């Protein structure tokens, strides 16, 4: 093989829900350390594609590789078999995911949210997990909220805890599914700041968002999706500044 | 007026009441009632969880089996079910577990005299399972899907997600109706005379009263015991509910307030 192995490589990925086809052949690749931003109208398949990457959704056709390994399936003699649940779970440890609605565990404090998976999934000792968790909470600026329950935090704070929770597993890839869409406008900035810092630190990230400013500033590549296909992609300045397709232009005129 | 009337009315027989309240036959019967309640509830709980998970599973066969179980056991009176289990030994003489036509590992003789206690537990427990299944299903369904997704995304297995994320949150919804069921179970044990099992509280006191011809004081004795046990159970429920309501309210817990106060004191002290 030539060059480094891409962190994510999608080849003609398709996804059908019954008769409805949501992804109609998505091909893209993300290099280690790259930030890819996915934009597009709702229902265009961006979130579904993101969820395919950590096998929260199964792929109907095509292939998806994570760090050179097929996601959720194993290949033998040209045939593809679905992985046993346990193996798929092991694969997900390397992929952190941040959700639109945070999905923090409401019955656990911020610190307990962070140490839950490292202790029970990765079998890290409690002391080590707590130390790492405190460090991460410090990084997202929430050192003083370690003992607060999610209901006691603002939306922006909850999302920062959720990012720290994903990072606690030391993932090689971070997926963000509209991380700021459920936030009040004045809280969006604090979450984006954490994400920028993360990108600056060399984390490989795929971000579904409507924040064009963030895309312009942070993304290495911008992908515009509509109706289950990639319409166009390229450096954000080019795609945003000089869109080649009519559909991209129509979309951008609405969101910018 | 009613209290005064009750206290002075000879027919209540308060002297007899005092005499039998702590009679060893009565306290033994109360113990038997507690045991029946405990084991039947445990059976109901375990089978209820199984039925609830079956009902929520994508497998149509498991779903149908669970549905049919609920249909039968909720659709017939528990008294009728208890009579049926009482008649069970006339249908089958013994239960054997082993290899067909081969050796047997376990054998239960249904014509034994002590079997009525087990049949009473089975009768109450199987009935309870149908109700518990619905309570647990409601609890599990009340936990948002995002919780399962977040756990899965963190690499947790299905079972770990259930145990660490879903069930602890479902408990908040499950506990109050389960407390109801437990108290209701305690009182339903008075029906196992249908099996017939006669050594529980109500039947025992009735048997004593039949001998001494004073039904009212012994009814009062039984009522006092039921009330006492129920009160203890209610206290237990209060603490369980408190345990599982963590993180629900935005108000700070005492522990958090103490920590905040300590932090502030520390800052002031260092000034």
């Amino acid at each position: 093989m030539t060059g480094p192995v891409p962190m994510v490589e999608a080849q003609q990925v398709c996804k059908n829900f019954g008769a409805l086809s949501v992804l109609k052949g998505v091909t893209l690749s993300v290099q280690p350390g790259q930030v890819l931003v996915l934009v597009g109208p709702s229902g265009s398949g961006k979130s579904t594609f993101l969820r395919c990457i950590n096998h929260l959704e199964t792929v109907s056709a095509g292939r998806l590789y994570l760090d050179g390994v097929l996601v959720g399936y194993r290949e033998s003699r040209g045939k593809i078999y679905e992985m046993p649940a346990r193996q798929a779970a092991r694969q997900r440890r390397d992929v952190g995911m941040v959700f639109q609605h945070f999905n923090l565990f409401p019955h656990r404090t911020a610190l307990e949210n962070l140490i839950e998976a490292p202790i029970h999934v990765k079998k890290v000792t409690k002391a080590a997990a707590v130390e790492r968790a405190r460090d991460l909470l410090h990084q997202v600026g929430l050192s003083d909220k370690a003992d607060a329950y999610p209901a006691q935090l603002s939306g922006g704070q909850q999302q920062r805890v959720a990012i720290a929770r994903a990072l606690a597993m030391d993932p090689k890839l971070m997926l963000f599914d509209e991380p700021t869409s459920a936030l009040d406008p004045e809280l969006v900035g604090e979450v984006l700041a954490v994400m920028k810092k993360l990108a600056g630190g060399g984390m490989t990230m795929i971000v579904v968002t409507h924040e064009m400013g963030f895309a312009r500033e942070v993304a290495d590549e911008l992908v515009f999706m509509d109706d289950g296909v990639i319409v166009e992609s390229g450096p954000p300045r080019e795609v945003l500044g000089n869109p080649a397709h009519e559909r991209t232009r129509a979309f951008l005129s609405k969101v910018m | 007026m009613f209290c005064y009337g009750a206290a002075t009315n000879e027919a209540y027989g308060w002297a007899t009441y005092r005499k039998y309240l702590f009679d060893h036959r009565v306290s033994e019967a109360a113990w038997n009632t507690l045991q029946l309640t405990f084991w039947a509830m445990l059976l109901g709980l375990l089978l209820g969880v199984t039925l609830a998970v079956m009902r929520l599973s994508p497998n149509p066969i498991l779903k149908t089996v669970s549905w049919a179980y609920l249909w039968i056991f909720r659709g017939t009176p528990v008294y009728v079910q208890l009579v049926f289990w009482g008649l069970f030994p006339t249908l089958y003489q013994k239960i054997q577990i082993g290899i067909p036509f081969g050796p047997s590992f376990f054998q239960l003789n249904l014509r034994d005299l002590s079997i009525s206690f087990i049949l009473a537990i089975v009768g109450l427990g199987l009935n309870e399972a149908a109700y518990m299944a619905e309570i647990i299903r409601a609890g599990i369904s009340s936990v948002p899907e995002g919780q399962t997704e977040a756990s899965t995304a963190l690499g947790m297995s299905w079972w770990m997600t259930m145990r660490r994320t879903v069930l602890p949150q479902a408990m908040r919804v499950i506990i109050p109706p389960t407390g109801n069921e437990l108290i209701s179970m305690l009182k339903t044990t008075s029906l196992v005379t249908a099996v017939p099992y006669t050594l529980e509280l109500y039947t025992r006191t009735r048997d004593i009263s039949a001998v001494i011809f004073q039904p009212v004081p012994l009814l009062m004795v039984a009522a006092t015991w039921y009330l006492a046990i129920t009160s203890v159970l209610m206290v237990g429920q209060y603490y369980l509910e408190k345990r599982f309501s963590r993180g629900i309210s935005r108000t700070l817990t005492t522990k958090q307030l103490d920590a905040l106060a300590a932090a502030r004191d520390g800052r002031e002290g260092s000034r």
Side-chain angles (χ1 to χ4, degrees):
Chain A
M1 241 192 234
T2 54
V5 181
M7 185 58 78
V8 175
E9 178 155 32
Q11 298 171 352
Q12 290 298 321
V13 170
C14 298
K15 174 67 187 174
N16 308 321
F17 291 105
L20 181 73
S21 92
V22 178
L23 296 177
K24 302 169 182 167
V26 173
T27 300
L28 59 77
S29 74
V30 184
Q31 300 302 324
Q34 250 197 340
V35 176
L36 181 119
V37 171
L38 273 171
V39 299
S42 57
S44 60
K46 343 178 268 295
S47 288
T48 306
F49 178 68
L50 207 64
R51 293 158 60 84
C52 284
I53 297 175
N54 68 352
H55 203 49
L56 278 181
E57 301 287 358
T58 55
V59 171
S60 308
R63 274 156 213 221
L64 226 166
Y65 294 92
L66 174 72
D67 208 7
V69 182
L70 206 55
V71 174
Y73 298 87
R74 81 195 154 73
E75 200 171 359
S76 105
R77 289 190 210 131
K79 280 192 173 174
I80 285 185
Y81 304 92
E82 186 154 5
M83 252 182 205
R86 186 191 300 217
Q87 240 175 323
R90 175 166 274 278
Q91 224 174 20
R92 285 193 195 98
R93 292 184 196 181
D94 295 332
V95 183
M97 186 152 189
V98 175
F99 300 87
Q100 181 177 359
H101 296 288
F102 331 132
N103 297 350
L104 288 175
F105 305 132
H107 57 306
R108 304 190 191 282
T109 63
L111 188 83
E112 286 168 352
N113 263 279
L114 262 66
I115 61 176
E116 175 70 11
I119 291 179
H120 291 97
V121 177
K122 260 185 146 183
K123 312 289 178 200
V124 173
T125 63
K126 189 171 179 196
V130 168
E131 199 189 324
R132 173 91 175 111
R134 290 205 183 278
D135 183 42
L136 283 167
L137 282 175
H138 178 72
Q139 280 180 36
V140 298
L142 292 170
S143 293
D144 55 334
K145 298 291 183 190
D147 295 322
Y149 286 98
Q152 298 163 339
L153 300 173
S154 74
Q157 290 170 333
Q158 288 191 52
Q159 193 60 299
R160 284 188 280 156
V161 172
I163 293 173
R165 177 176 70 175
L167 290 173
M169 290 295 278
D170 294 314
K172 30 187 185 185
L173 170 71
M174 285 283 284
L175 306 175
F176 294 85
D177 190 4
E178 305 206 21
T180 56
S181 299
L183 296 177
D184 290 340
E186 77 269 24
L187 301 177
V188 169
E190 60 187 70
V191 172
L192 292 181
V194 167
M195 289 167 64
K196 270 179 213 168
K197 209 162 90 179
L198 201 56
M203 176 61 79
T204 315
M205 294 164 54
I206 301 181
V207 185
V208 172
T209 186
H210 294 294
E211 294 293 327
M212 294 305 159
F214 174 82
R216 191 192 302 269
E217 205 178 324
V218 182
D220 297 299
E221 191 174 1
L222 185 83
V223 170
F224 173 70
M225 275 180 77
D226 192 11
D227 201 21
V229 292
I230 293 178
V231 177
E232 72 177 287
S233 65
R237 269 167 216 287
E238 277 174 32
V239 178
L240 294 175
N242 188 19
H245 282 260
E246 182 53 41
R247 277 197 281 179
T248 321
R249 238 170 281 153
F251 173 74
L252 290 177
S253 69
K254 276 183 221 148
V255 296
M256 294 221 307
Chain B
M1 276 310 281
F2 177 78
C3 291
Y4 178 78
T8 50
N9 189 334
E10 294 247 319
Y12 278 94
W14 292 112
T16 322
Y17 171 84
R18 277 191 294 277
K19 185 179 162 202
Y20 282 100
L21 186 57
F22 294 110
D23 187 282
H24 75 95
R25 280 173 296 177
V26 174
S27 52
E28 257 168 36
W31 176 240
N32 287 336
T33 289
L34 259 181
Q35 285 212 316
L36 271 180
T37 310
F38 176 80
W39 293 113
M41 200 64 195
L42 190 70
L43 178 64
L45 208 62
L46 293 178
L47 194 58
V49 171
T50 316
L51 287 166
V53 172
M54 280 165 69
R55 189 87 194 273
L56 290 171
S57 89
N59 184 324
I61 297 171
L62 294 181
K63 249 186 195 166
T64 313
V65 169
S66 174
W67 181 87
Y69 184 97
L70 261 64
W71 179 60
I72 292 169
F73 281 87
R74 286 201 307 177
T76 54
V78 63
Y79 193 82
V80 171
Q81 290 173 30
L82 285 168
V83 172
F84 172 81
W85 292 112
L87 294 171
F88 199 65
T90 64
L91 296 172
Y92 305 97
Q93 291 176 12
K94 54 189 174 184
I95 296 173
Q96 276 187 359
I97 296 176
I99 301 164
F101 309 110
S104 145
F105 307 121
F106 169 83
Q107 187 170 338
L108 190 66
N109 187 355
L110 291 175
R111 296 276 158 93
D112 260 351
L113 281 175
S114 62
I115 204 72
S116 61
F117 182 67
I118 292 171
L119 290 177
I121 290 172
V122 167
L124 291 172
L126 293 188
N127 178 258
E128 186 57 33
Y131 291 91
M132 281 313 299
E134 286 298 88
I135 290 172
I136 291 163
R137 186 169 69 101
I140 291 176
S141 307
S142 77
V143 179
E145 207 185 351
Q147 292 293 311
T148 319
E149 253 173 28
S151 308
T152 310
L154 284 167
M156 294 190 192
S157 64
W158 180 87
W159 173 234
M160 189 184 284
T161 302
M162 263 303 172
R163 196 165 48 87
R164 303 276 320 168
T165 305
V166 176
L167 286 177
Q169 292 181 62
M171 284 308 250
R172 201 171 55 84
V173 176
I174 292 174
I175 289 172
T178 303
N180 263 352
E181 288 298 311
L182 184 61
I183 289 169
S184 159
M185 172 66 85
L186 175 74
K187 295 179 293 188
T188 311
T189 55
S190 61
L191 294 182
V192 297
T193 179
V195 169
Y197 176 74
T198 55
L199 297 175
E200 48 70 47
L201 193 51
Y202 174 68
T203 316
R204 199 85 183 101
T205 50
R206 211 186 42 186
D207 287 350
I208 296 173
S209 67
V211 173
I212 61 170
F213 298 112
Q214 282 189 301
V216 176
L218 279 152
L219 203 59
M220 289 296 169
V221 167
T224 308
W225 275 97
Y226 282 122
L227 203 55
I229 298 170
T230 308
S231 308
V232 173
L233 295 178
M234 281 167 73
V235 173
Q237 181 180 349
Y238 169 79
Y239 283 104
L240 265 181
E241 276 181 24
K242 219 172 139 186
R243 169 81 168 68
F244 283 104
S245 65
R246 282 181 307 175
I248 293 311
S249 161
R250 301 184 63 147
T251 45
L252 300 173
T253 61
T254 338
K255 205 174 138 196
Q256 286 175 320
L257 286 171
D258 287 349
L260 275 180
R264 183 168 304 162
D265 288 350
R267 236 177 295 153
E268 276 166 11
S270 65
R271 246 175 236 160

